[in-house]
Amino acid sequence: MIADRGYDSMALVNFVRDRGGEAHIPTQSRVRIQRSVPPSLYRQRNLVERFFCKLKQFRRIATRFEKHADNFMAALALASARIWMRAIESTP
């Protein structure tokens, strides 16, 4: 599990570890024992977080306008395709 500093708690780290996972969560500056996260992993987490922020710009997605799961997934697919096409269009 990769998360940002806001989820830094030993209870969460132990919860993930007890279920066989590995928590990659950097510690806050006030904590004495610092955990580090590989920069490449943290960069990938940031890409996913920015993608969700872009998805929330679509009002239909942010307000969960579509009540049925199939319709909501279709709206997500359309919004994701639009974001992806904008990214492809802007690269040289």
Side-chain angles (χ1 to χ4, degrees):
M1 181 180 105
I2 305 170
D4 63 354
R5 294 178 196 275
Y7 296 97
D8 174 35
S9 75
M10 285 310 294
L12 182 61
V13 171
N14 292 334
F15 179 79
V16 172
R17 187 179 301 131
D18 291 343
R19 280 154 183 74
E22 187 175 345
H24 294 283
I25 305 171
T27 52
Q28 295 181 3
S29 61
R30 60 180 164 78
V31 178
R32 187 181 328 160
I33 300 172
Q34 294 286 316
R35 286 188 311 270
S36 63
V37 176
S40 60
L41 276 179
Y42 205 70
R43 200 172 299 126
Q44 290 174 354
R45 181 209 61 83
N46 186 265
L47 283 174
V48 172
E49 184 175 337
R50 285 189 297 176
F51 174 73
F52 279 105
C53 286
K54 287 178 185 178
L55 269 179
K56 289 179 184 178
Q57 297 298 317
F58 293 89
R59 185 174 145 254
R60 174 161 268 181
I61 305 274
T63 60
R64 186 70 197 254
F65 185 79
E66 306 292 343
K67 299 303 179 197
H68 296 289
D70 291 337
N71 294 344
F72 184 69
M73 289 301 291
L76 277 175
L78 286 172
S80 300
R82 186 169 177 190
I83 291 170
W84 179 68
M85 285 190 291
R86 281 185 184 171
I88 295 295
E89 185 179 88
S90 64
T91 55

